[in-house]
Amino acid sequence: MAVFVTRRIPAEGLRVLSQAGGCRVQQWDSEEPVPRAELLAGVAGKHGLLCLLSDRIDREVLEAAGPGLKVISTMSVGFDHLALEEIKKRGIRVGYTPDVLTDATAELSVALLLSACRRLPEAVEQVKNGGWTTWKPLWMCGYGLSDSTVGIIGLGRIGQAVARRLKPFGVKKFLYTGSGPKPESGAEFGAEFVPLTRLAEESDFVVVTCALTPATQGMCNKDFFTRMKKTSVFVNTSSDSATHRECHVCHKEHHGSTGSQQPPGWAARGGHAPRAAAVMARVPTLEGSRTWCYCPLEKSWRPVLCLLASAAACQQCLW
């Protein structure tokens, strides 16, 4: 059996695959995604394909593989990069890795939430830039979780894992919304199922953990953010596998201007590109509200003026 692996994967996994009886492995040995041409060439004549969510497995790939392709495995929780209908027509079996990132994503969500509410990115920048001179009673205080209301959009595996980690911080109330009530899931936290608008209005912290689907795309729009408290924190770690982004945490200043006016040439410069790599944290302050963004390209936190719209919660840029 011939197998094509589209990326450098953990050595143990590759060893298991290579040692399987009669399995011949060809691998794109790089940390970077396989180029399209290399993917089409590599999959030709193969019986198995091990891919990542950055690989678009569509009709073109399936035709390049030929009729011998019998199984596709994706090293991801999401699978909307796979053309499932085309795959099903060909009788190809599909495997994926559900739940493997639940704990990691929940922990990252909590870390981002604490970083934002306690103003850690802004404080770090102040220390680096000499802004820290002496102790001041109200300087960089931020807000705490004790006696707060946390709203969770999507009380699935990750949403429950987030609530489980936040509960010991003294959260007073959990609200959640989604496709419908989940009494058994919500009972552990005393969570109340509410409409999205009420969740926005009452929550001190909003955590988005739902999957990106046509139903959830843009659900947190301008109206949603307008309803939120000025001091609230918005954390988005929803599944955005189409653009293979793990998380976006963001919230525009509440909301300094009206409408969605983008500066001339902004889109042409890639300002709203779906593959924009940014992890954002809305940092509440005692003086008002600000948005800070960690840009992997610049490797630094910086204030931003917009709300990137590539994940489930974000509908458009709010200026």
Side-chain angles (χ1 to χ4, degrees):
M1 181 178 181
V3 177
F4 182 59
V5 181
T6 66
R7 190 81 67 89
R8 187 180 300 159
I9 64 173
E12 180 60 27
L14 189 63
R15 182 162 50 252
V16 170
L17 188 59
S18 300
Q19 292 176 353
C23 190
R24 294 176 286 106
V25 179
Q26 177 185 343
Q27 180 187 32
W28 174 254
D29 190 18
S30 171
E31 296 288 348
E32 300 302 318
V34 58
R36 186 69 174 181
E38 296 291 342
L39 172 60
L40 296 175
V43 77
K46 298 300 189 295
H47 304 98
L49 173 65
L50 175 56
C51 62
L52 277 68
L53 53 78
S54 55
D55 306 316
R56 190 176 77 256
I57 309 303
D58 54 14
R59 180 186 298 179
E60 182 183 31
V61 173
L62 299 175
E63 291 177 350
L69 186 62
K70 301 300 181 185
V71 61
I72 297 173
S73 290
T74 178
M75 198 174 80
S76 64
V77 176
F79 46 80
D80 56 348
H81 57 298
L82 306 178
L84 293 180
E85 289 301 318
E86 290 293 331
I87 292 170
K88 185 177 179 180
K89 290 178 185 177
R90 291 165 169 79
I92 299 171
R93 304 297 295 271
V94 174
Y96 71 122
T97 56
D99 206 29
V100 296
L101 293 177
T102 297
D103 289 338
T105 306
E107 290 166 5
L108 179 60
S109 300
V110 173
L112 290 170
L113 188 152
L114 291 172
S115 295
C117 73
R118 287 303 182 182
R119 305 179 63 185
L120 297 185
E122 188 177 1
V124 168
E125 287 299 317
Q126 288 293 314
V127 171
K128 289 180 178 179
N129 298 329
W132 179 28
T133 55
T134 186
W135 178 78
K136 306 161 192 171
L138 300 180
W139 192 65
M140 296 292 173
C141 285
Y143 299 90
L145 278 160
S146 181
D147 292 325
S148 67
T149 296
V150 173
I152 298 177
I153 300 178
L155 197 65
R157 289 191 302 265
I158 295 174
Q160 293 172 52
V162 169
R164 200 168 289 122
R165 286 161 172 77
L166 290 178
K167 189 175 180 180
F169 283 91
V171 173
K172 181 179 181 180
K173 183 193 299 184
F174 285 99
L175 304 176
Y176 74 98
T177 193
S179 57
K182 294 185 175 182
E184 294 182 2
S185 301
E188 179 181 350
F189 321 104
E192 181 183 358
F193 181 76
V194 298
L196 183 65
T197 53
R198 180 181 163 191
L199 184 145
E201 292 167 353
E202 296 185 12
S203 297
D204 300 298
F205 302 90
V206 175
V207 184
V208 184
T209 59
C210 62
L212 174 61
T213 68
T216 60
Q217 178 71 45
M219 70 187 306
C220 297
N221 52 22
K222 182 179 180 180
D223 177 70
F224 178 90
F225 288 110
T226 302
R227 291 175 182 272
M228 288 178 67
K229 303 174 183 178
K230 284 188 176 183
T231 56
S232 59
V233 173
F234 179 83
V235 176
N236 183 355
T237 51
S238 59
S239 175
D240 188 12
S241 53
T243 54
H244 59 92
R245 294 295 161 239
E246 290 187 357
C247 63
H248 301 266
V249 186
C250 47
H251 191 296
K252 171 73 171 67
E253 181 179 351
H254 210 61
H255 286 295
S257 61
T258 59
S260 178
Q261 303 299 320
Q262 298 152 359
W266 186 76
R269 295 194 300 272
H272 216 259
R275 294 184 182 272
V279 177
M280 292 169 288
R282 177 191 176 275
V283 182
T285 70
L286 296 181
E287 301 79 22
S289 301
R290 302 186 68 179
T291 300
W292 281 75
C293 169
Y294 181 79
C295 178
L297 298 178
E298 297 182 5
K299 293 184 174 58
S300 65
W301 287 88
R302 57 186 177 83
V304 293
L305 298 175
C306 67
L307 176 63
L308 292 186
S310 60
C314 306
Q315 182 186 40
Q316 59 185 340
C317 232
L318 303 178
W319 288 81

